[in-house]
Amino acid sequence: MRNAFYAQSGGVTAVINASAAGVIETARAHRNRIGKVYAGRNGIIGALTEDLIDTSKEPARAISALKHTPAGAFGSCRYKLKGLEESRAQYERLIEVFRAHDIGYFFYNGGNDSADTCLKVAQIAKKLGYPLTAVHVPKTVDNDLPITDNCPGFGSVAKYVATSMREAAFDVASMAKTSTKVFVLEVMGRHAGWITAAVGMAEDAQTPIPLVLLFPEVAFDEAKFLAAVEAKVKSAGYCCVGVSEGLLNAEGKLMAEAGTRDAFGHAQLGGVGPMIAGIVKDKLNLKYHWAVADYLQRAARHLASKTDAEQSYAVGRAAVLMALAGRNAVMPAITRVSDRPYRWKITEAPLEKVANVEKMLPKDFIARDGFGITEKARRYLAPLIRGEDPPPYKDGLPQYVRLKNVAVQKKLAAEFKV
Amino acid sequence: MRNAFYAQSGGVTAVINASAAGVIETARAHRNRIGKVYAGRNGIIGALTEDLIDTSKEPARAISALKHTPAGAFGSCRYKLKGLEESRAQYERLIEVFRAHDIGYFFYNGGNDSADTCLKVAQIAKKLGYPLTAVHVPKTVDNDLPITDNCPGFGSVAKYVATSMREAAFDVASMAKTSTKVFVLEVMGRHAGWITAAVGMAEDAQTPIPLVLLFPEVAFDEAKFLAAVEAKVKSAGYCCVGVSEGLLNAEGKLMAEAGTRDAFGHAQLGGVGPMIAGIVKDKLNLKYHWAVADYLQRAARHLASKTDAEQSYAVGRAAVLMALAGRNAVMPAITRVSDRPYRWKITEAPLEKVANVEKMLPKDFIARDGFGITEKARRYLAPLIRGEDPPPYKDGLPQYVRLKNVAVQKKLAAEFKV
């Protein structure tokens, strides 16, 4: 009976802790076959530095509360392991730490990079003759993992941006007569426009909203954009713009880095929203407001999608069941069985087919004029934002759990620099 | 039996429509004494241009749905009437329109400016011998009306910013090891730091968060600010900064307008968040993220405070009851009876004491170091954010009502330019 290791990787989400709960609760349910679940403090860095957290010190109610607690309860990190030869010392160190703590199961919860790391850990373990079952647990608000129909974390961001834009649109509609006519909301999604597309869900047949979306897939054309905004303001009295932080200009350069710098002279992402608002002001002389949701969108557990929360738990649970079934170097994927009614199931994806593959937004999800979403996109997105799963509230605020995160006693003498 | 006029004024809120519902439902309950409720399309402009909406065309369920619908259902406007002599033509026109439509009750839903307008309308009516009962219905996210303990609209923004900062803090805490160490959230409140103070509610004894607040009441001192941030990062590993859009520098100039311009060379509010983040980056060389919530914070009906929603309805209802009791030139105010348990009642405030008086954040609500809130502030704020009152959801999104807003037939020949 060997122990398990679990770590969170990369940008966190509103529901990644639900996957952690899925892993830990399922491991606990199989305590005849899995010993303890050790979590990496701050992700894979915790494994490299032998800074492990003993999750068995947490009561069942704390683990259960992870299902409604955003962000990474054990800490995450941005730390990319490279190729097996290039990062050989790191991979060997991982195995050394796993051996010291009798870890037989490796669960790595992240996106593209971590799928690659998980695969490489499986490979090095085999190479070194160390028995290890490595399973990747999918997570990314960017929704860009292949094979899986959607990625845990995305549905909640999608629900947040659609709801926020709908609410802001009601506000702007009230104010447009004498004040704000154009509202710009900047959203995440650096390479693929999944989140931008989700902004499009703000409107539906009962709630039409004059929306203009700026996808990272569609090079910014100022003249066409201004014409689209002007047309909406003319017909509806106002216009709401959803813009991806990753919007590119005609030369393929990030708008947020394209010449115009922020107030401090730095080029940095997270400024394309005010930039677009400024263009509207300069060229159309319309009153505007802009918002940049930034971390608010991916941390908003109070508005999580129930579909997303359930699927996040399910992939954590499935990862443990796959590991117990001896499935190595795989990832539980979400397979859509039907749109209406929405039905899904967990299937198994080999990590070779997941690692380093980015799933882009299909071309036919973007409307012909480049500023909206198609019916096909709506059909895909609709079930992912469905259902509410509010956290418990106390004194008016969501009650999120903070774990004790008790350290496991170190067994290795050597320090390891990361 | 005479008709009533109701209009929404200035920036809208998540719950101003609850006040509209309070007015309309209460008037309907007294249909033996009040005829129809006419709403001004786009606020007072609707009255001046005789563009009235017949709310009697809306079914009861639509009016009831206003209780959970954000923003201004009839449209609002930023249009300030000046002194009685200066804006004489406007005031006389209002009375002319009221006379044409037999309006005996004037309900004006807004902040300081509209309280002043409401008072002046009462005065001019008296002067012209036109029988009119004018009652102001309080509303402002800025929470700066006097006499009333708090302003409808504020509690929901307070709940939103506290929740959002708490959620973002969980995110930053997860990422701080290798990535973001400082998160900056810019919030509304141009002159008074009520909303900034509410950010402080993100933390409590169970959920400590290393917060630094930048109030409009405390001149920005870069050195002290950087020292505070550095200390938090050192002790907690990260720091969350809540900054008011109205932050001033030592010379009393708006930071957002003080020399440093935005990317387009414009000075405009709504850029102090990224500016503060830039200072952190330049001087401390720490990774940062920033968010500007803008309209999202005041439109977020999905996260409204139940206390706020109830009080917003109550002031609308009370306004009608006061008018029926013949009380003229008054405003229903919220009086706090006790903190714990929280008890409140509606009292009557004379408009002379409300108009043009700004209630500032008490000095003893701000911590000695200028970067936090005191226990007294917490005691004041706690009940205002309490309770949840979620809207109905359909297909994963809040269902907000859009009224038909049927126009009342015009009776006056003359056009009136606004």
Side-chain angles (χ1 to χ4, degrees):
Chain A
M1 205 173 73
R2 302 175 66 211
N3 300 315
F5 174 82
Y6 167 81
Q8 300 174 321
S9 174
V12 293
T13 80
V15 292
I16 182 174
N17 281 333
S19 293
V23 167
I24 296 168
E25 290 187 347
T26 310
R28 288 184 179 188
H30 294 84
R31 59 181 87 235
N32 57 328
R33 299 188 56 201
I34 299 180
K36 290 183 171 186
V37 178
Y38 294 142
R41 195 185 305 274
N42 301 309
I44 203 72
I45 287 179
L48 292 167
T49 58
E50 206 196 350
D51 193 355
L52 306 180
I53 291 164
D54 186 351
T55 70
S56 76
K57 304 288 189 195
E58 305 292 343
R61 68 170 184 287
I63 298 303
S64 181
L66 289 177
K67 288 178 227 169
H68 63 253
T69 297
F74 309 108
S76 183
C77 68
R78 297 200 181 277
Y79 185 88
K80 188 168 162 55
L81 279 92
K82 295 181 186 152
L84 279 180
E85 287 315 310
E86 229 177 325
S87 298
R88 187 169 193 91
Q90 276 92 337
Y91 288 109
E92 288 180 354
R93 168 69 177 187
L94 283 180
I95 301 302
E96 190 189 0
V97 170
F98 292 169
R99 196 186 303 271
H101 293 275
D102 195 22
I103 286 163
Y105 307 95
F106 175 67
F107 300 109
Y108 203 32
N109 201 170
N112 299 80
D113 284 353
S114 67
D116 181 59
T117 300
C118 191
L119 175 60
K120 294 214 166 72
V121 167
Q123 290 166 344
I124 193 85
K126 202 170 178 187
K127 212 165 171 182
L128 298 175
Y130 180 76
L132 184 76
T133 309
V135 179
H136 187 246
V137 186
K139 168 248 44 162
T140 169
V141 296
D142 292 335
N143 204 38
D144 60 356
L145 287 169
I147 303 182
T148 188
D149 179 66
N150 59 287
C151 301
F154 169 68
S156 295
V157 176
K159 187 185 186 88
Y160 178 92
V161 297
T163 298
S164 296
M165 185 57 109
R166 174 174 289 194
E167 292 179 329
F170 272 71
D171 191 311
V172 181
S174 329
M175 302 305 295
K177 176 77 180 175
T178 58
S179 179
T180 306
K181 288 193 172 50
V182 179
F183 174 75
V184 179
L185 173 63
E186 176 183 323
V187 300
M188 288 181 157
R190 200 166 285 216
H191 302 301
W194 293 102
I195 299 176
T196 311
V199 177
M201 298 300 282
E203 69 158 340
D204 59 24
Q206 289 86 55
T207 310
I209 292 171
L211 277 180
V212 171
L213 304 180
L214 295 172
F215 293 92
E217 287 83 357
V218 182
F220 183 64
D221 180 328
E222 187 176 299
K224 277 178 74 179
F225 165 69
L226 290 171
V229 170
E230 216 169 12
K232 300 277 185 189
V233 172
K234 202 168 176 189
S235 62
Y238 71 105
C239 178
C240 291
V241 180
V243 55
S244 164
E245 61 175 350
L247 184 66
L248 302 174
N249 66 13
E251 288 80 48
K253 276 184 117 176
L254 280 166
M255 284 290 288
E257 287 184 359
T260 353
R261 303 265 151 164
D262 69 11
F264 326 100
H266 311 131
Q268 76 148 152
L269 284 190
V272 70
M275 176 178 299
I276 293 299
I279 291 170
V280 167
K281 162 80 178 153
D282 278 355
K283 300 296 166 67
L284 301 179
N285 197 28
L286 294 173
K287 286 195 185 168
Y288 65 94
H289 263 249
W290 55 267
V292 176
D294 193 64
Y295 281 178
L296 269 47
Q297 70 200 285
R298 74 180 200 192
R301 183 58 186 81
H302 78 270
L303 193 57
S305 145
K306 187 170 181 149
T307 300
D308 192 26
E310 287 175 356
Q311 291 179 340
S312 297
Y313 186 88
V315 293
R317 178 175 181 274
V320 174
L321 298 180
M322 285 178 187
L324 286 173
R327 310 300 303 158
N328 191 21
V330 297
M331 174 186 95
I334 299 157
T335 297
R336 188 180 295 221
V337 178
S338 69
D339 280 330
R340 299 175 195 164
Y342 178 55
R343 290 212 182 89
W344 56 277
K345 61 179 182 185
I346 299 286
T347 53
E348 183 185 297
L351 279 187
E352 290 124 26
K353 295 198 173 166
V354 175
N356 294 319
V357 180
E358 224 174 351
K359 183 176 71 178
M360 303 309 287
L361 187 71
K363 279 214 169 72
D364 61 0
F365 275 31
I366 301 177
R368 196 157 293 200
D369 69 2
F371 296 128
I373 55 172
T374 59
E375 192 48 43
K376 196 170 171 191
R378 302 186 74 84
R379 207 178 166 94
Y380 169 79
L381 292 166
L384 306 184
I385 64 172
R386 209 169 287 154
E388 292 67 57
D389 188 32
Y393 282 76
K394 191 177 163 243
D395 297 332
L397 291 171
Q399 286 303 291
Y400 298 137
V401 70
R402 282 210 179 139
L403 302 181
K404 289 177 289 185
N405 284 349
V406 178
V408 177
Q409 180 127 33
K410 294 198 183 199
K411 302 200 173 185
L412 298 173
E415 291 271 321
F416 190 87
K417 280 264 184 236
V418 292
Chain B
M1 206 172 73
R2 303 174 65 212
N3 300 314
F5 174 83
Y6 167 82
Q8 301 173 321
S9 175
V12 293
T13 80
V15 292
I16 182 172
N17 282 332
S19 293
V23 167
I24 297 168
E25 290 186 347
T26 310
R28 288 186 180 186
H30 294 84
R31 59 180 87 237
N32 57 328
R33 298 188 55 202
I34 298 180
K36 290 185 171 185
V37 177
Y38 295 143
R41 195 185 304 275
N42 300 310
I44 202 72
I45 287 179
L48 291 167
T49 58
E50 206 196 350
D51 193 355
L52 306 179
I53 291 164
D54 185 351
T55 69
S56 76
K57 304 289 189 193
E58 305 292 342
R61 68 172 184 286
I63 299 302
S64 181
L66 289 178
K67 289 178 225 167
H68 63 252
T69 296
F74 309 108
S76 184
C77 69
R78 298 199 179 278
Y79 185 89
K80 187 167 162 57
L81 278 92
K82 296 180 188 154
L84 278 180
E85 288 315 311
E86 229 177 325
S87 297
R88 188 168 192 92
Q90 276 92 337
Y91 288 109
E92 288 180 353
R93 168 69 176 186
L94 283 180
I95 301 301
E96 191 189 0
V97 171
F98 292 169
R99 196 187 302 272
H101 293 276
D102 195 21
I103 285 163
Y105 307 96
F106 175 66
F107 300 109
Y108 203 31
N109 202 170
N112 300 80
D113 284 352
S114 67
D116 182 58
T117 300
C118 190
L119 175 60
K120 294 211 166 72
V121 167
Q123 290 166 344
I124 193 86
K126 202 169 179 188
K127 212 165 172 181
L128 297 176
Y130 179 76
L132 185 76
T133 309
V135 180
H136 187 247
V137 186
K139 167 247 48 163
T140 169
V141 297
D142 291 336
N143 203 40
D144 59 358
L145 287 169
I147 303 181
T148 188
D149 179 66
N150 59 288
C151 301
F154 169 68
S156 295
V157 176
K159 188 185 185 86
Y160 178 92
V161 298
T163 298
S164 296
M165 186 56 110
R166 175 174 288 194
E167 293 178 330
F170 271 72
D171 191 311
V172 181
S174 330
M175 302 305 295
K177 176 77 179 174
T178 58
S179 179
T180 305
K181 287 193 172 52
V182 179
F183 174 75
V184 179
L185 173 63
E186 175 182 323
V187 300
M188 287 180 157
R190 201 166 284 216
H191 303 301
W194 294 102
I195 299 175
T196 312
V199 177
M201 299 299 284
E203 69 158 341
D204 60 24
Q206 289 85 55
T207 309
I209 292 171
L211 277 180
V212 171
L213 304 180
L214 295 172
F215 293 92
E217 286 84 357
V218 182
F220 182 65
D221 179 329
E222 186 177 299
K224 276 178 74 178
F225 166 70
L226 291 171
V229 170
E230 216 170 11
K232 301 277 184 188
V233 172
K234 202 168 176 190
S235 62
Y238 71 105
C239 177
C240 291
V241 180
V243 56
S244 164
E245 61 174 351
L247 184 66
L248 302 174
N249 66 14
E251 288 79 48
K253 275 184 119 175
L254 280 166
M255 283 291 289
E257 287 184 359
T260 353
R261 303 264 150 164
D262 70 11
F264 327 99
H266 311 131
Q268 77 146 151
L269 284 189
V272 69
M275 176 179 299
I276 293 298
I279 291 171
V280 166
K281 162 80 179 152
D282 278 354
K283 300 295 165 65
L284 300 179
N285 197 28
L286 293 173
K287 286 195 186 168
Y288 65 93
H289 263 250
W290 55 267
V292 176
D294 194 64
Y295 280 179
L296 269 47
Q297 69 200 284
R298 74 180 201 192
R301 183 60 186 80
H302 77 270
L303 193 58
S305 144
K306 188 170 181 152
T307 300
D308 192 26
E310 286 176 355
Q311 291 179 339
S312 298
Y313 186 88
V315 292
R317 178 174 180 275
V320 174
L321 298 179
M322 285 178 187
L324 286 173
R327 311 298 303 158
N328 191 21
V330 297
M331 174 187 94
I334 299 157
T335 296
R336 188 180 295 223
V337 177
S338 69
D339 280 330
R340 299 176 196 162
Y342 179 55
R343 290 212 182 89
W344 56 277
K345 61 180 180 184
I346 299 287
T347 54
E348 183 185 297
L351 278 186
E352 290 124 28
K353 294 199 174 166
V354 174
N356 294 318
V357 180
E358 226 175 350
K359 182 175 72 179
M360 302 309 287
L361 187 71
K363 280 214 169 72
D364 62 1
F365 275 30
I366 301 177
R368 196 157 293 200
D369 68 1
F371 296 129
I373 56 172
T374 59
E375 192 47 43
K376 196 168 170 192
R378 302 185 74 82
R379 206 179 167 94
Y380 170 79
L381 292 166
L384 306 184
I385 64 172
R386 209 169 287 154
E388 292 66 59
D389 187 32
Y393 282 76
K394 191 175 162 246
D395 298 331
L397 291 171
Q399 286 303 290
Y400 297 138
V401 70
R402 281 208 180 141
L403 302 181
K404 289 177 289 185
N405 285 349
V406 178
V408 177
Q409 179 127 32
K410 296 197 183 199
K411 301 199 173 184
L412 298 172
E415 292 271 319
F416 189 87
K417 279 263 183 236
V418 293

